Amino acid sequence: SGPCDIFDAAGTPCVAAHSLVRALYATYQGPLYLVRRSSDSATKTIGVLGVGGFADSVAQDAFCKGTACIVERIFDQSPKGNHLDLAAPGGAAWHKDRGVSATEERLSVGGHPVYGAYFKGGMGYRNDNTSGVATGDEPETMYMVVAGKHYNGWCCFDYGNAEVDARDHGAGTMEAIYFGSSRWWGHGGGGHGPWVMADLEDGLWPGNKKYFPENTPIV
């Protein structure tokens, strides 16, 4: 079973499922992400090698050979179609975000060669017109997989649920997972991070208070 099969079985189905690496459902056989190459601006959709399988990195390597490629879209594998495209300008950044390199982070997962999303400053994805995503104080669950040694101290590297107009509407108006070593808004204990924290807008929360020593760095 994939992660979203587990959520489905619990009666809490995925409403967004994004991965460059693998299918998140055992029966998924659709696209994972879209790459654009710099040489001629052509695009190619990268799917899975087989039903419920890993990304077809061989197809990407052939398409991107001799040129640079970025990831332009990350497809939502859930039935909701909440795909992630390059983030438009918003309240914190008055410019469109750049896409991650499609080839910088080569990995081997279970013996399968794949690529991760290696984020740097000014890179990001967003969808402001979602379907089925929790609003207000509706319950929700989220998770992300990160490279534990790739992070920074800026605000904020998040994956989650935010305002639909890319503006700051005040404390408590978003819910996202943060990973990094920022100490500006709140932080855990045990050194200089990195910590997993909740970004709830206008604040990073390592626990039920801004300084939460029980939240120790992931090293």
Side-chain angles (χ1 to χ4, degrees):
S1 297
C4 285
D5 298 312
I6 297 170
F7 281 114
D8 281 352
T12 54
C14 291
V15 296
H18 307 110
S19 176
L20 271 62
V21 171
R22 54 166 290 192
L24 299 177
Y25 295 84
T27 58
Y28 187 76
Q29 53 185 328
L32 296 179
Y33 56 99
L34 180 76
V35 296
R36 181 180 295 276
R37 64 188 179 198
S38 61
S39 59
D40 59 0
S41 203
T43 60
K44 183 174 181 61
T45 298
I46 306 300
V48 292
L49 282 171
V51 178
F54 288 88
D56 185 359
S57 62
V58 174
Q60 177 185 307
D61 289 341
F63 181 75
C64 298
K65 185 176 182 180
T67 187
C69 280
I70 65 165
V71 176
E72 188 154 286
R73 163 175 277 198
I74 306 173
F75 289 97
D76 178 16
Q77 299 177 34
S78 88
K80 298 298 184 180
N82 292 317
H83 312 307
L84 294 178
D85 294 313
L86 298 180
W94 294 95
H95 55 80
K96 185 177 180 178
D97 279 359
R98 297 177 291 116
V100 300
S101 166
T103 58
E104 184 160 350
E105 184 73 351
R106 188 172 176 87
L107 308 168
S108 178
V109 181
H112 300 274
V114 292
Y115 292 97
Y118 193 89
F119 284 89
K120 299 178 181 178
M123 296 177 177
Y125 300 84
R126 194 178 183 102
N127 184 334
D128 285 334
N129 187 24
T130 57
S131 172
V133 175
T135 61
D137 289 327
E138 293 176 345
E140 59 189 330
T141 297
M142 56 187 72
Y143 85 98
M144 68 173 176
V145 177
V146 298
K149 296 182 179 179
H150 180 62
Y151 61 90
N152 65 31
W154 297 99
C155 180
C156 295
F157 179 67
D158 293 344
Y159 178 76
N161 188 2
E163 298 93 333
V164 297
D165 61 359
R167 298 290 189 270
D168 182 346
H169 287 264
T173 55
M174 67 176 280
E175 301 89 26
I177 303 171
Y178 165 83
F179 180 72
S181 58
S182 173
R183 302 171 67 92
W184 289 42
W185 296 94
H187 60 87
H192 300 286
W195 301 283
V196 175
M197 296 190 279
D199 188 345
L200 304 180
E201 194 66 283
D202 294 348
L204 289 173
W205 292 86
N208 61 1
K209 52 185 181 288
K210 288 297 187 76
Y211 173 61
F212 196 77
E214 293 87 346
N215 185 339
T216 55
I218 296 177
V219 293

